[in-house]
Amino acid sequence: LQRSLLPLLPVLLLLAGQVPLAAARGGMRVDIDEETWPEVLAGGRWFIKFYAPWCDACRSLAPTWQNLAASEDLPRDVSIAQVDVTRNEALAGMFLVTGLPSLYVLHEGQFWQHSGDRSLPALLRYIQQAEYARLPPLPWYRVPTALHMRCLGRLIQAAVRLKKLHTHLVEERGLPSPLAYLVLALATLVSGLVAGLILVCLCDLLSARRRHRQQEAAAVPGDAKGDSAKVDKPDEASGEDSDELAENPRPATSGQQVRKRGVRKETS
C-alpha cells in the first residue's frame, strides 16, 4: 500500500502547498499568485488562464483546462497554470485583463495572448506546434513585467481593496454609502499627507548632510589659500614699495649729499 501511494506523494504535497512551482512543471495545473509569480518568470513555457469563480464562461472552460493539463500529448516543458483574479488583483492589472477567461503564453520572457478556438484539440495544437510564435508578442507597453504595468497593477489592486473596504463599511458596519465614501476620502487624504511629510523629512535630512559635506570640503582649500596669501603678502608689499620709489624717488639725506660732494671733488 505504501509503494502504491508513493507516486501520488508529489501530487498530495502540491495540493498541500508544499511543492514549489519548479517541481510542479510538466503539464500539472498550477495555481499562481503574487508570491509564486517570480518563479513563473524563472523560465520554461507557461500557458496561463485568468478566471473568476463567478464567471460562467470560466466554469465552462474549466473541464477543458483540466484535461489539457492531464493530456499525455502535452509537451513536457509546458506548464498549465491559472490565476484567480478575485484574489490576485495586481497580476490581473499587470496583464490588463478586461475579459474572462483570458489565456496567455509565456515563453523566453515574451507574452502572447490567445484569442482563437478554445477546444481541447485546438489548445493542444496551439501549444504543441508553438502557433503563438507565428504571431507578434505583446508590445512593449503591454508587457506585464514592465515597470509601468507593475505600477498599474498596484494601482488597480489598491482601487479594488478600497472598493472592498467600502462594501465592508456599508454592509457590515451599517454606514450610509456617502458617509463611507467620506471616510475613505479622509483616510486617503491623511495617509497622503503623512507619506508626504515623511518624504519631505527624508529629503531635508539628505540635503542637510550634503550641505555639511560640501562645507567641510570647501573649508580645507580655503584655509590653505589664506595661508599662502599671507606668505606672499610681504613680497607683494615689497614690489609695491619698489614701484613707488621708482616713480617718486625719496630726497637724499644730508649725509648722502656730503658723500656725493666728496666724490665729485676727488674726480675733479
Side-chain angles (χ1 to χ4, degrees), residues 186-257:
L186 291 176
T188 304
L189 181 61
V190 171
S191 61
L193 290 175
V194 172
L197 180 61
I198 294 175
L199 183 61
V200 169
C201 292
L202 290 176
C203 292
D204 186 55
L205 179 61
L206 295 176
S207 61
R209 289 183 177 180
R210 183 177 299 177
R211 287 196 302 268
H212 181 66
R213 292 177 182 176
Q214 291 177 354
Q215 290 175 359
E216 290 181 349
V220 175
D223 295 340
K225 186 176 179 180
D227 295 339
S228 61
K230 291 179 181 179
V231 173
D232 297 339
K233 192 171 183 180
D235 296 337
E236 295 177 358
S238 61
E240 292 177 356
D241 294 341
S242 61
D243 294 338
E244 291 179 356
L245 290 175
E247 295 177 357
N248 302 316
R250 297 177 180 177
T253 60
S254 58
Q256 292 177 352
Q257 292 177 358

Side-chain angles (χ1 to χ4, degrees), residues 2-118:
Q2 294 179 353
R3 293 181 179 180
S4 61
L5 292 177
L6 187 60
L8 299 177
L9 183 60
V11 179
L12 296 177
L13 291 177
L14 177 65
L15 295 177
Q18 302 297 326
V19 177
L21 291 183
R25 291 179 180 174
M28 188 177 297
R29 192 183 67 182
V30 180
D31 290 323
I32 300 176
D33 54 20
E34 297 176 11
E35 295 182 357
T36 56
W37 175 244
E39 298 183 36
V40 176
L41 299 176
R45 283 197 293 172
W46 291 84
F47 204 6
I48 307 173
K49 177 187 71 172
F50 287 83
Y51 76 101
W54 47 262
C55 175
D56 293 335
C58 299
R59 294 174 184 172
S60 300
L61 184 62
T64 302
W65 200 251
Q66 181 65 35
N67 294 332
L68 177 65
S71 176
E72 297 181 355
D73 297 330
L74 189 70
R76 298 296 300 173
D77 64 328
V78 177
S79 297
I80 305 300
Q82 60 185 12
V83 178
D84 185 355
V85 298
T86 62
R87 297 183 178 181
N88 302 279
E89 300 89 354
L91 286 178
M94 288 165 54
F95 280 83
L96 204 61
V97 175
T98 57
L100 295 175
S102 294
L103 308 181
Y104 289 89
V105 174
L106 167 60
H107 187 207
E108 295 181 350
Q110 293 183 320
F111 296 84
W112 290 265
Q113 184 174 7
H114 175 70
S115 57
D117 188 4
R118 296 182 177 180

